[in-house]
Amino acid sequence: MTTEPRRAPAYRTQNWSLAKPSARGRKGVVVSQNHEAAAAGAAILEAGGNAADAAVATAFALAAVEPWNSGLGGIGFGVVLKAGESRAQVVDFGPVAPRRADPADYPLTGAMKFDLFAWPEVEGDRNIHGPLSFCVPSSVAGYARLKERFGTSMPVGELLQPAIALAKRGLAQDWYTTLKIASSAAVLRLYEESARIYLPGGLPPVPPYQGVPGFRTLGNLGATLEHLAKAGLDDFYRGDLARRLAADIAAVGGVVDAQDLAECRATVREAPVIDWRGTHRIHTAGGLTAAPTLQAVVEGMAASPPPEGGPDSAWFARLSQVTREAYASRLEGLGAAQMAKEPGETCTTHLTVVDGEGTIVALTTTLLSSMGSRLVLPETGVLMNNGMMWFDPRPGSANAIAPGARPLCNMCPVVVTPADGGYPRHGAGASGGRRILASVYQMLAFTLDSGMSLEDAAHQPRIDVSGPDGTSADARLPEGTLDALAAVGPLTVVEHGVLPLNFACPNMVRSGQDGQEGISDAASPWSAAVAAN
């Protein structure tokens, strides 16, 4: 029995203990925030595909079963470590502003906007939702590059079949769907096709009281996936679908055009490496992701490993200080680019795959906000990202809006190798916007330093530091830990709930000489690790 901490939330939404198993598979494991998508990837492994093939199949499936976090209209980064190699590669399909992006299209109101970021408010929130919030949709290019560079000869059309079947069936109208759609309903209702799909009768869908949930198709998404399966993924950017997509965007008032699509490319480069106390190498996406801040935290904690068996109060207190300092450095010079102090629903999706040979793919993709721009393109069924929200809307500022510019973002997929090049190896990442960094670091520390199993690490209560001004702590942490955290800075004690408001949703795979294993986020109701045997 645990004692209720003195600073526990005054109101609890959950009075239960959650548990989620890991999975072990001879042919590998796929971990995703949705069981059906993970099962789609595992089926590809069982059919002879490798980790890259399975990751692509899972990513496309997620567009049909978890549409608020990722999809054809999104962006992302992947880190890939091929079996037998010691250096990972990055598949970079990160956010890029359209070539006709114009700061004048984002006039300021003079107020501040507290959403995922505390930027100056733009008239009509046009950087947050609607047609002017789109960055160039690069997810399909990223998945294509991942398949071409690292996949097998399995046809792309075969990888898309699970996504096509799921899209034709439709999105499950269960309680979690209701919860997620309701949180975005106030904006979804502003856009005709979005409202038609997600707000039948003008309201979020309500599941039946008994039996299986109903299903609702996501507009023309299924037809678009079928077209890609036949025409190839490049058609999204330089073919018939590209022409229809550009026309779709123009019809709703967006500025992403045919040239933006034609020039969209995903690149592959060597992954930057972070030294982990001389024992491991952390392969990251580098650049304008959370990787440089992760490196600052790793370096700041180098002399403070958590005790074997699990972290103690002194370790958590030190992590709070180091991470707040790292965020202060990250945001230095950005002025208004402070993380919002109010909690906001996490978004993005992360999937991790390991195949039977030991190749690992850690892939993070996003629409940025939950439901991205909230605008579904009516002719193609693509839910577009709201990547322009990553930019500071003040003209001339750091991280400012500019044609073809790339903003700072929070994604942090990683692959881990022992310093001696041996085993075990890990892949990890998380969804959750600004909360990703802290969760990824803690999962690494729990497994690499404390020697926790994947299951123990996934169930260990964590803290979150999303900026320089304070720490959130899981109410399940011991009271002594909460006291230590409160002594080093502002502390808020929160629940780790099934609606991901307060903590990110990490997942992880492990590849060892004894086989492959994976674990998903314990609190996420739909997530799962699915084995291939």
Side-chain angles (χ1 to χ4, degrees), residues 233-488:
L233 301 184
D234 190 66
D235 199 73
F236 191 89
Y237 298 99
R238 288 163 284 276
D240 178 64
L241 183 56
R243 289 188 291 273
R244 291 193 285 123
L245 185 61
D248 222 359
I249 294 171
V252 298
V255 299
V256 174
D257 61 17
Q259 184 174 335
D260 286 314
L261 295 174
E263 294 176 353
C264 180
R265 297 286 191 281
T267 61
V268 176
R269 52 184 166 79
E270 193 169 76
V273 174
I274 300 171
D275 175 72
W276 184 282
R277 256 189 292 281
T279 63
H280 293 84
R281 303 287 182 265
I282 314 300
H283 306 253
T284 76
L288 293 171
T289 69
T293 310
L294 174 64
Q295 180 166 356
V297 175
V298 171
E299 292 172 352
M301 295 295 292
S304 305
E308 187 173 346
D312 59 12
S313 58
W315 183 82
F316 275 119
R318 175 63 180 162
L319 178 61
S320 171
Q321 291 175 303
V322 167
T323 310
R324 283 185 285 120
E325 291 168 1
Y327 263 108
S329 297
R330 176 182 178 88
L331 301 174
E332 185 179 359
L334 293 185
Q338 300 298 312
M339 298 298 181
K341 297 178 178 63
E342 301 172 5
E345 185 178 350
T346 62
C347 41
T348 306
T349 200
H350 180 81
L351 62 99
T352 319
V353 184
V354 58
D355 62 27
E357 299 298 318
T359 293
I360 295 173
V361 177
L363 183 69
T364 307
T365 70
T366 189
L367 296 174
L368 181 49
S369 292
S370 184
M371 289 285 185
S373 65
R374 287 76 156 186
L375 197 160
V376 177
L377 298 174
E379 296 302 318
T380 54
V382 175
L383 175 57
M384 291 292 286
N385 70 80
N386 65 334
M388 296 303 291
M389 187 181 173
W390 267 308
F391 292 98
D392 185 339
R394 297 172 303 161
S397 62
N399 204 40
I401 294 169
R406 298 195 64 167
L408 187 69
C409 60
N410 299 301
M411 288 172 277
C412 195
V414 298
V415 170
V416 183
T417 57
D420 62 7
Y423 292 87
R425 299 172 171 202
H426 296 79
S431 68
R434 64 189 186 274
R435 306 191 189 284
I436 290 172
L437 171 66
S439 72
V440 170
Y441 178 82
Q442 285 169 92
M443 287 293 287
L444 295 177
F446 297 160
T447 52
L448 303 183
D449 291 334
S450 292
M452 287 187 178
S453 68
L454 294 193
E455 284 192 1
D456 287 344
H459 293 82
Q460 166 66 42
R462 305 191 304 269
I463 66 171
D464 177 71
V465 179
S466 302
D469 299 327
T471 300
S472 296
D474 191 319
R476 297 173 297 165
L477 285 166
E479 190 166 354
T481 297
L482 300 180
D483 288 336
L485 288 165
V488 297

Side-chain angles (χ1 to χ4, degrees), residues 19-404:
K20 188 163 287 191
S22 66
R24 294 175 180 268
R26 180 175 56 86
K27 292 185 178 179
V29 178
V30 181
V31 192
S32 167
Q33 292 178 191
N34 182 280
H35 177 275
E36 291 182 306
I44 295 298
L45 292 179
E46 291 178 345
N50 68 5
D53 297 322
V56 170
T58 303
F60 275 111
L62 283 167
V65 296
E66 192 199 44
W68 36 79
N69 282 345
S70 66
L72 278 62
I75 56 88
F77 295 88
V79 180
V80 183
L81 180 69
K82 294 178 68 174
E85 297 187 359
S86 58
R87 192 67 185 265
Q89 304 290 310
V90 178
V91 180
D92 183 340
F93 53 108
V96 178
R99 66 187 185 85
R100 292 192 292 150
D102 185 351
D105 288 338
Y106 306 89
L108 305 181
T109 67
M112 292 296 292
K113 184 72 176 183
F114 290 91
D115 203 293
L116 292 182
F117 309 100
W119 295 126
E121 185 180 58
V122 172
E123 288 184 9
D125 286 338
R126 61 185 68 174
N127 62 326
I128 296 176
H129 61 83
L132 291 178
S133 69
F134 305 165
C135 275
V136 179
S138 54
S139 284
V140 175
Y143 306 156
R145 191 71 171 132
L146 176 61
K147 164 64 178 166
E148 293 162 2
R149 182 67 177 267
F150 301 103
T152 68
S153 60
M154 185 176 287
V156 166
E158 188 172 341
L159 303 185
L160 267 65
Q161 291 310 305
I164 292 168
L166 291 166
K168 286 188 170 183
R169 181 205 65 181
L171 178 66
Q173 307 293 279
D174 73 357
W175 68 270
Y176 193 61
T177 298
T178 300
L179 193 64
K180 295 293 290 187
I181 292 175
S183 68
S184 295
V187 184
L188 288 171
R189 66 180 180 177
L190 302 177
Y191 303 105
E192 183 177 358
E193 182 70 351
S194 303
R196 186 187 70 80
I197 293 170
Y198 292 109
L199 303 174
L203 295 170
V206 178
Y209 287 106
Q210 59 184 359
V212 298
F215 297 93
R216 189 172 179 84
T217 56
L218 303 178
N220 289 321
L221 177 64
T224 293
L225 289 168
E226 281 191 310
H227 179 90
L228 288 173
K230 296 174 182 177
L233 301 184
D234 190 66
D235 199 73
F236 191 89
Y237 298 99
R238 288 163 284 276
D240 178 64
L241 183 56
R243 289 188 291 273
R244 291 193 285 123
L245 185 61
D248 222 359
I249 294 171
V252 298
V255 299
V256 174
D257 61 17
Q259 184 174 335
D260 286 314
L261 295 174
E263 294 176 353
C264 180
R265 297 286 191 281
T267 61
V268 176
R269 52 184 166 79
E270 193 169 76
V273 174
I274 300 171
D275 175 72
W276 184 282
R277 256 189 292 281
T279 63
H280 293 84
R281 303 287 182 265
I282 314 300
H283 306 253
T284 76
L288 293 171
T289 69
T293 310
L294 174 64
Q295 180 166 356
V297 175
V298 171
E299 292 172 352
M301 295 295 292
S304 305
E308 187 173 346
D312 59 12
S313 58
W315 183 82
F316 275 119
R318 175 63 180 162
L319 178 61
S320 171
Q321 291 175 303
V322 167
T323 310
R324 283 185 285 120
E325 291 168 1
Y327 263 108
S329 297
R330 176 182 178 88
L331 301 174
E332 185 179 359
L334 293 185
Q338 300 298 312
M339 298 298 181
K341 297 178 178 63
E342 301 172 5
E345 185 178 350
T346 62
C347 41
T348 306
T349 200
H350 180 81
L351 62 99
T352 319
V353 184
V354 58
D355 62 27
E357 299 298 318
T359 293
I360 295 173
V361 177
L363 183 69
T364 307
T365 70
T366 189
L367 296 174
L368 181 49
S369 292
S370 184
M371 289 285 185
S373 65
R374 287 76 156 186
L375 197 160
V376 177
L377 298 174
E379 296 302 318
T380 54
V382 175
L383 175 57
M384 291 292 286
N385 70 80
N386 65 334
M388 296 303 291
M389 187 181 173
W390 267 308
F391 292 98
D392 185 339
R394 297 172 303 161
S397 62
N399 204 40
I401 294 169

